[in-house]
């Protein structure tokens, strides 16, 4: 009998939409991060639940709909904390991101919209074996990453990284450069990196491309994934890479490992912050030496002045047109183009 599934963007590296599969309930001792699973929506947020499709388009699903996503872990400071290990015998779980990161929410911010619940219907199975994201991860030999990189680091989520990255990519493209946009850490949602493509990036990548639903994972596993991701980026032969290290290198998304792995290729570091004081905290606690501060903290002249007073670092409100000549000058100085 025909069964309609809604495939989330976690499945965008797979062939689940084009090849048949079975759904089978597996005992919890066989569950792992990255497993593709099916959930049935049981309590939509309000009158609907929005999920992100493999194309990045958002669509609404209703109670009773079947959604395919992946088990993972989330540790978002402003939204929710949860993991698949916390799913109980009742099989109730949540779509912890619109992109299809499935797990049981254990703590939820009062600032966040309620997350719809689902019941675990089973694992995606083929030929008796469960299907997981790693099955579709590329088998890439490590490469010597030599790409000049602009690194964008946040003090938290929702601090203005995406807007700043768009401005940076746009300026680099105006100079005729081949630009790759990459997100190295966080929880997988395709629209985060599609915004880089919208700004003009010639190619875009994130950790989902190498089989991770989020970067809350063991350090050794993450380093392997980073090396594969760096190899994919290097194969594009970009003039410059604009990279995001995730919400903050101090959070459990392994952003500090990204900085460690490519520190020799970072030509320009931009900190995006939600408030001026968190910039100072990140500089002092992590030892970052940014070339520029942007984000919500610099949304008006008072914020710009306070950031510069506290840190001694140039601050710009990148969405403002008057900031672009200063950004262009900084990029030319740091990248040498």
């Amino acid at each position: 009998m025909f069964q309609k599934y809604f495939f989330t963007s976690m499945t965008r590296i797979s062939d689940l939409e084009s090849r048949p599969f079975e759904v089978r309930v597996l005992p919890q001792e066989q569950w792992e991060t990255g497993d593709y699973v099916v959930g049935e929506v049981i309590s939509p947020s309000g009158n609907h639940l929005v999920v992100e499709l493999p194309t990045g388009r958002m669509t609404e699903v209703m109670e009773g709909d079947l959604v395919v996503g992946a088990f993972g872990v989330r540790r978002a400071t402003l939204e929710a904390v949860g993991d698949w290990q916390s799913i109980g015998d009742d099989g109730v779980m949540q779509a912890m991101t619109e992109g299809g990161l499935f797990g049981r929410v254990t703590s939820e911010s009062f600032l966040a919209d309620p997350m719809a619940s689902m019941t675990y219907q089973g694992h995606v199975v083929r030929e008796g074996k469960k299907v997981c994201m790693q099955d579709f991860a590329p088998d890439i030999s490590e490469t010597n990453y030599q790409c000049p990189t602009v690194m964008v680091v946040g003090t938290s989520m929702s601090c203005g990284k995406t807007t700043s990255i768009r401005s940076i990519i746009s300026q680099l493209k105006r100079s005729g450069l081949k630009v790759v946009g990459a997100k190295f850490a966080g929880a997988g949602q395709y629209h985060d990196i599609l915004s880089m493509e919208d700004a003009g990036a010639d190619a875009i990548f994130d950790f989902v491309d190498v089989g991770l639903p989020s970067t809350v994972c063991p350090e050794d596993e993450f380093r392997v994934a980073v090396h594969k991701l760096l190899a994919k980026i290097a194969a594009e032969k970009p003039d410059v890479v604009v990279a995001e290290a995730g919400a903050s290198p101090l959070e459990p998304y392994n952003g500090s490992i990204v900085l460690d792995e490519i520190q020799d290729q970072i030509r320009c570091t931009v900190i995006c912050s939600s408030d001026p004081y968190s910039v100072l905290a990140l500089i002092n606690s992590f030892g970052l030496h940014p070339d520029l501060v942007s984000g919500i903290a610099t949304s008006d002249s008072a914020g710009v002045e306070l950031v510069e007073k506290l840190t001694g670092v140039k601050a710009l409100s990148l969405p403002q047109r008057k900031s672009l000549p200063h950004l262009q000058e900084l990029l030319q100085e740091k990248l040498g183009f």
Side-chain angles (χ1 to χ4, degrees):
M1 182 178 68
F2 171 77
Q3 179 66 65
K4 177 177 174 55
Y5 295 101
F6 287 88
F7 295 91
T8 65
S9 60
M10 283 292 173
T11 69
R12 61 184 167 85
I13 61 171
S14 76
D15 60 2
L16 297 185
E17 287 190 274
S18 59
R19 291 186 56 216
F21 58 84
E22 300 175 17
V23 178
R24 183 181 304 174
V25 174
L26 298 180
Q28 293 191 2
E29 58 266 23
Q30 295 182 21
W31 297 7
E32 294 178 291
T33 296
D35 288 351
Y36 282 127
V37 296
V38 177
E40 180 180 342
V41 178
I42 57 173
S43 60
S45 176
N47 294 321
H48 65 275
L49 167 66
V50 175
V51 297
E52 182 182 65
L53 301 178
T55 60
R57 183 174 69 85
M58 300 295 181
T59 192
E60 295 181 2
V61 295
M62 300 180 293
E63 192 157 5
D65 284 339
L66 298 177
V67 183
V68 183
F71 278 156
V73 182
R74 197 175 188 205
R75 297 286 185 267
T77 54
L78 297 179
E79 290 193 0
V81 174
D83 52 70
W84 62 264
Q85 294 93 334
S86 297
I87 299 173
D89 293 337
D90 59 3
V92 174
M93 60 186 184
Q94 285 77 37
M96 298 185 294
T97 67
E98 294 167 337
L101 183 68
F102 289 173
R104 185 72 169 260
V105 171
T106 57
S107 177
E108 192 170 359
S109 169
F110 66 88
L111 298 171
D113 294 331
M115 296 183 181
S117 292
M118 298 178 287
T119 54
Y120 166 76
Q121 297 299 298
H123 274 62
V124 174
V125 172
R126 283 179 177 152
E127 298 180 354
K129 296 181 180 179
K130 65 179 182 178
V131 181
C132 65
M133 295 180 69
Q134 282 295 321
D135 294 337
F136 304 97
D139 185 15
I140 302 175
S141 300
E142 292 188 18
T143 188
N144 188 16
Y145 181 82
Q146 296 291 328
C147 307
T149 301
V150 177
M151 179 59 69
V152 180
V153 180
T155 58
S156 68
M157 64 180 299
S158 302
C159 63
K161 297 187 298 295
T162 299
T163 300
S164 297
I165 288 170
R166 285 176 61 96
S167 297
I168 293 167
I169 291 175
S170 179
Q171 286 301 302
L172 293 170
K173 289 303 298 178
R174 287 192 177 102
S175 298
L177 300 175
K178 183 176 182 179
V179 181
V180 166
K183 182 176 180 179
F184 280 91
Q189 298 192 90
Y190 199 24
H191 62 265
D192 287 345
I193 58 169
L194 281 175
S195 66
M196 299 180 184
E197 185 176 73
D198 293 340
D202 298 278
I204 53 174
F205 299 99
D206 74 350
F207 45 87
V208 172
D209 291 310
V210 289
L212 291 181
S214 83
T215 61
V216 183
C217 62
E219 180 178 321
D220 55 349
E221 177 183 337
F222 182 66
R223 286 189 186 274
V224 171
V226 168
H227 293 165
K228 289 184 177 182
L229 191 52
L230 292 174
K232 287 179 71 70
I233 293 170
E236 297 292 323
K237 301 186 184 304
D239 296 313
V240 59
V241 176
V242 180
E244 179 191 329
S248 165
L250 297 173
E251 295 183 21
Y253 284 96
N254 284 317
S256 59
I257 293 177
V258 176
L259 299 179
D260 178 59
E261 288 288 338
I262 63 174
Q263 59 181 330
D264 292 341
Q265 302 308 321
I266 297 175
R267 301 289 184 264
C268 181
T269 301
V270 180
I271 288 182
C272 291
S273 175
S274 53
D275 73 87
Y277 300 99
S278 59
V279 180
L280 188 62
L282 186 58
I283 291 173
N284 290 338
S285 61
F286 199 73
L288 282 177
H289 301 288
D291 301 292
L292 177 67
V293 175
S294 189
I296 296 174
T298 64
S299 58
D300 62 17
S301 60
V304 169
E305 291 170 6
L306 184 52
V307 167
E308 293 184 340
K309 179 180 179 180
L310 289 171
T311 67
V313 177
K314 180 69 175 176
L316 291 174
S317 179
L318 293 184
Q320 296 183 11
R321 191 176 184 87
K322 65 181 181 181
S323 297
L324 298 183
H326 301 287
L327 174 62
Q328 184 76 356
E329 182 180 352
L330 174 67
L331 294 173
Q332 288 176 342
E333 174 190 347
K334 295 299 178 179
L335 296 170
F337 64 82

